[in-house]
Amino acid sequence: LQTLRDLSDHSLIEGRPQKTPTQYIHEYDKDDFRKLTTLFLRVRYGNFEATPSTYDSVLQLQSSIIKKEESL
């Protein structure tokens, strides 16, 4: 949600509660965002365990997305 808020604040997506993660990928189709969304979907809907390694990956991807957008 933090990443979606940041992208919305930078006018890169139109944040709406009824949108699905896949809809956001179509709106903002960047590799790091796609990977982050895939991890979210696996844990949230795919019954994959959110391990410390998964969490670290999510933080790295989120940081990368935010840094790229802030540098524009």
Side-chain angles (χ1 to χ4, degrees):
L1 288 174
Q2 289 174 336
T3 304
L4 293 177
R5 170 67 82 135
D6 185 68
L7 293 174
S8 179
D9 288 349
H10 285 90
S11 300
L12 297 168
I13 61 167
E14 186 178 336
R16 292 190 181 168
Q18 67 273 20
K19 278 190 180 177
T20 67
T22 304
Q23 287 174 309
Y24 284 116
I25 288 175
H26 290 296
E27 192 172 350
Y28 184 78
D29 191 14
K30 305 285 186 188
D31 190 50
D32 286 345
F33 185 68
R34 182 178 291 277
K35 289 176 185 176
L36 177 67
T37 303
T38 299
L39 286 172
F40 167 77
L41 290 171
R42 285 182 179 171
V43 171
R44 179 72 172 105
Y45 301 107
N47 295 322
F48 283 83
E49 183 180 353
T51 64
S53 175
T54 305
Y55 181 73
D56 290 342
S57 294
V58 165
L59 289 179
Q60 283 182 319
L61 290 165
Q62 181 185 34
S63 177
S64 174
I65 293 164
I66 291 169
K67 284 180 186 175
K68 285 178 186 173
E69 299 315 323
E70 287 178 349
S71 69
L72 294 178

